[in-house]
Short mmCIF file of all heavy atoms in Angstrom, two decimals:
data_model
loop_
_atom_site.label_atom_id
_atom_site.label_comp_id
_atom_site.label_asym_id
_atom_site.label_seq_id
_atom_site.Cartn_x
_atom_site.Cartn_y
_atom_site.Cartn_z
N THR A 953 0.85 -1.18 -0.05
CA THR A 953 0.08 0.05 0.02
C THR A 953 0.82 1.20 -0.02
O THR A 953 2.00 1.25 0.42
CB THR A 953 -0.93 0.07 1.25
OG1 THR A 953 -0.13 -0.01 2.35
CG2 THR A 953 -1.89 -1.13 1.14
N ASN A 954 0.28 2.32 -0.48
CA ASN A 954 0.84 3.66 -0.54
C ASN A 954 -0.13 4.71 -0.27
O ASN A 954 -1.28 4.61 -0.80
CB ASN A 954 1.52 3.88 -1.87
CG ASN A 954 2.28 5.20 -2.00
OD1 ASN A 954 2.91 5.66 -1.05
ND2 ASN A 954 2.16 5.80 -3.18
N TYR A 955 0.29 5.61 0.64
CA TYR A 955 -0.77 6.66 1.06
C TYR A 955 -0.19 8.13 0.81
O TYR A 955 1.02 8.20 1.15
CB TYR A 955 -1.23 6.45 2.49
CG TYR A 955 -1.94 5.25 2.80
CD1 TYR A 955 -1.31 4.08 3.25
CD2 TYR A 955 -3.39 5.18 2.63
CE1 TYR A 955 -1.99 2.91 3.43
CE2 TYR A 955 -4.02 4.08 2.99
CZ TYR A 955 -3.36 2.93 3.40
OH TYR A 955 -4.07 1.70 3.63
N ALA A 956 -1.07 9.07 0.56
CA ALA A 956 -0.63 10.46 0.68
C ALA A 956 -0.46 10.80 2.15
O ALA A 956 -1.14 10.23 3.00
CB ALA A 956 -1.68 11.26 0.03
N ASP A 957 0.50 11.60 2.32
CA ASP A 957 0.81 11.99 3.70
C ASP A 957 -0.29 12.56 4.44
O ASP A 957 -0.45 12.36 5.64
CB ASP A 957 2.01 13.02 3.77
CG ASP A 957 3.37 12.37 3.33
OD1 ASP A 957 3.51 11.14 3.44
OD2 ASP A 957 4.25 13.21 3.03
N SER A 958 -1.18 13.31 3.72
CA SER A 958 -2.33 13.90 4.38
C SER A 958 -3.41 13.01 4.87
O SER A 958 -4.21 13.42 5.67
CB SER A 958 -3.00 14.92 3.30
OG SER A 958 -3.47 14.16 2.26
N VAL A 959 -3.31 11.71 4.41
CA VAL A 959 -4.38 10.82 4.91
C VAL A 959 -3.82 9.62 5.75
O VAL A 959 -4.61 8.77 6.17
CB VAL A 959 -5.22 10.22 3.74
CG1 VAL A 959 -5.67 11.28 2.83
CG2 VAL A 959 -4.29 9.25 2.90
N LYS A 960 -2.44 9.57 5.92
CA LYS A 960 -1.87 8.55 6.66
C LYS A 960 -2.41 8.56 8.10
O LYS A 960 -2.54 9.52 8.73
CB LYS A 960 -0.39 8.67 6.68
CG LYS A 960 0.34 8.28 5.42
CD LYS A 960 1.87 8.44 5.43
CE LYS A 960 2.57 8.02 4.12
NZ LYS A 960 3.99 8.32 4.31
N GLY A 961 -2.83 7.33 8.56
CA GLY A 961 -3.42 7.10 9.84
C GLY A 961 -4.90 7.33 9.88
O GLY A 961 -5.50 7.09 10.95
N ARG A 962 -5.50 7.97 8.89
CA ARG A 962 -6.89 8.15 8.96
C ARG A 962 -7.59 7.21 7.83
O ARG A 962 -8.78 6.80 8.02
CB ARG A 962 -7.16 9.54 8.56
CG ARG A 962 -6.67 10.56 9.59
CD ARG A 962 -7.14 12.06 9.19
NE ARG A 962 -6.72 12.44 8.01
CZ ARG A 962 -7.50 12.91 7.01
NH1 ARG A 962 -8.85 12.95 7.27
NH2 ARG A 962 -7.02 13.44 5.92
N PHE A 963 -6.95 7.02 6.71
CA PHE A 963 -7.58 6.20 5.62
C PHE A 963 -6.89 4.80 5.52
O PHE A 963 -5.73 4.66 5.79
CB PHE A 963 -7.45 6.99 4.32
CG PHE A 963 -8.20 8.13 4.15
CD1 PHE A 963 -8.85 8.75 5.23
CD2 PHE A 963 -8.27 8.91 2.87
CE1 PHE A 963 -9.61 10.03 5.06
CE2 PHE A 963 -8.97 10.02 2.73
CZ PHE A 963 -9.69 10.54 3.79
N ALA A 964 -7.75 3.81 5.07
CA ALA A 964 -7.16 2.54 4.80
C ALA A 964 -7.65 1.96 3.55
O ALA A 964 -8.89 1.91 3.39
CB ALA A 964 -7.44 1.68 6.01
N ILE A 965 -6.79 1.55 2.64
CA ILE A 965 -7.12 0.99 1.41
C ILE A 965 -7.06 -0.60 1.42
O ILE A 965 -6.11 -1.09 2.11
CB ILE A 965 -6.39 1.48 0.19
CG1 ILE A 965 -6.90 1.11 -1.10
CG2 ILE A 965 -4.88 1.14 0.34
CD1 ILE A 965 -6.40 1.91 -2.24
N SER A 966 -7.87 -1.27 0.82
CA SER A 966 -7.93 -2.77 0.84
C SER A 966 -8.53 -3.26 -0.48
O SER A 966 -9.35 -2.60 -1.03
CB SER A 966 -8.67 -3.36 2.06
OG SER A 966 -9.99 -2.94 1.98
N ARG A 967 -8.18 -4.54 -0.83
CA ARG A 967 -8.68 -5.08 -1.98
C ARG A 967 -9.62 -6.27 -1.56
O ARG A 967 -9.31 -6.95 -0.56
CB ARG A 967 -7.61 -5.66 -2.91
CG ARG A 967 -6.79 -4.59 -3.49
CD ARG A 967 -5.76 -5.07 -4.44
NE ARG A 967 -6.31 -5.57 -5.82
CZ ARG A 967 -5.80 -5.32 -6.91
NH1 ARG A 967 -4.58 -4.75 -6.91
NH2 ARG A 967 -6.18 -5.64 -8.04
N GLY A 968 -10.68 -6.48 -2.27
CA GLY A 968 -11.58 -7.54 -1.96
C GLY A 968 -11.05 -8.84 -2.32
O GLY A 968 -10.10 -9.02 -3.08
N ASN A 969 -11.65 -9.95 -1.80
CA ASN A 969 -11.26 -11.27 -2.17
C ASN A 969 -11.33 -11.60 -3.70
O ASN A 969 -10.56 -12.29 -4.20
CB ASN A 969 -12.10 -12.38 -1.43
CG ASN A 969 -11.87 -12.29 0.06
OD1 ASN A 969 -10.75 -11.84 0.50
ND2 ASN A 969 -12.86 -12.68 0.93
N ALA A 970 -12.24 -10.87 -4.36
CA ALA A 970 -12.38 -11.07 -5.79
C ALA A 970 -11.34 -10.37 -6.57
O ALA A 970 -11.21 -10.63 -7.73
CB ALA A 970 -13.76 -10.54 -6.22
N ARG A 971 -10.40 -9.63 -5.84
CA ARG A 971 -9.27 -8.89 -6.44
C ARG A 971 -9.69 -7.75 -7.46
O ARG A 971 -8.80 -7.09 -7.85
CB ARG A 971 -8.31 -9.93 -7.25
CG ARG A 971 -7.93 -11.08 -6.32
CD ARG A 971 -7.24 -10.68 -5.03
NE ARG A 971 -6.01 -10.05 -5.29
CZ ARG A 971 -5.52 -9.31 -4.30
NH1 ARG A 971 -5.93 -9.19 -3.12
NH2 ARG A 971 -4.18 -8.81 -4.56
N ASN A 972 -10.87 -7.79 -7.90
CA ASN A 972 -11.29 -6.75 -8.81
C ASN A 972 -12.18 -5.69 -8.06
O ASN A 972 -12.79 -4.94 -8.73
CB ASN A 972 -12.24 -7.43 -9.95
CG ASN A 972 -11.42 -7.84 -11.01
OD1 ASN A 972 -10.24 -8.19 -10.96
ND2 ASN A 972 -11.96 -7.94 -12.21
N THR A 973 -12.04 -5.72 -6.71
CA THR A 973 -12.70 -4.68 -5.94
C THR A 973 -11.54 -3.95 -5.08
O THR A 973 -10.61 -4.63 -4.66
CB THR A 973 -13.82 -5.18 -5.15
OG1 THR A 973 -13.20 -6.20 -4.26
CG2 THR A 973 -14.94 -5.82 -5.97
N VAL A 974 -11.86 -2.61 -4.80
CA VAL A 974 -11.04 -1.92 -3.89
C VAL A 974 -11.92 -1.07 -3.03
O VAL A 974 -12.89 -0.51 -3.56
CB VAL A 974 -9.94 -1.14 -4.67
CG1 VAL A 974 -10.58 -0.01 -5.59
CG2 VAL A 974 -8.87 -0.45 -3.77
N HIS A 975 -11.49 -1.01 -1.86
CA HIS A 975 -12.13 -0.22 -0.86
C HIS A 975 -11.32 0.86 -0.15
O HIS A 975 -10.06 0.64 0.05
CB HIS A 975 -12.81 -1.14 0.27
CG HIS A 975 -13.48 -2.25 -0.16
ND1 HIS A 975 -14.85 -2.15 -0.77
CD2 HIS A 975 -13.24 -3.53 -0.31
CE1 HIS A 975 -15.22 -3.33 -1.18
NE2 HIS A 975 -14.28 -4.32 -0.88
N LEU A 976 -11.92 1.98 0.20
CA LEU A 976 -11.19 2.99 0.92
C LEU A 976 -12.00 3.32 2.18
O LEU A 976 -13.07 4.00 1.96
CB LEU A 976 -11.06 4.18 0.03
CG LEU A 976 -10.08 5.36 0.68
CD1 LEU A 976 -8.73 4.74 0.80
CD2 LEU A 976 -10.12 6.63 -0.19
N GLN A 977 -11.60 2.97 3.26
CA GLN A 977 -12.12 3.39 4.58
C GLN A 977 -11.56 4.70 4.94
O GLN A 977 -10.35 4.82 5.20
CB GLN A 977 -11.93 2.21 5.65
CG GLN A 977 -12.55 2.56 7.01
CD GLN A 977 -13.95 2.56 6.94
OE1 GLN A 977 -14.64 1.76 6.37
NE2 GLN A 977 -14.61 3.65 7.61
N MET A 978 -12.43 5.73 5.18
CA MET A 978 -12.03 7.05 5.51
C MET A 978 -12.56 7.35 6.86
O MET A 978 -13.78 7.56 6.95
CB MET A 978 -12.50 8.01 4.42
CG MET A 978 -11.93 7.66 3.07
SD MET A 978 -12.45 8.92 1.76
CE MET A 978 -14.22 8.73 1.85
#
């Protein structure tokens, strides 16, 4: 994973089991 400095510690990115999905928890 890679994050912008402005969102580190607040946002989390993940991929779904299907690998064709991506989520951003903000």
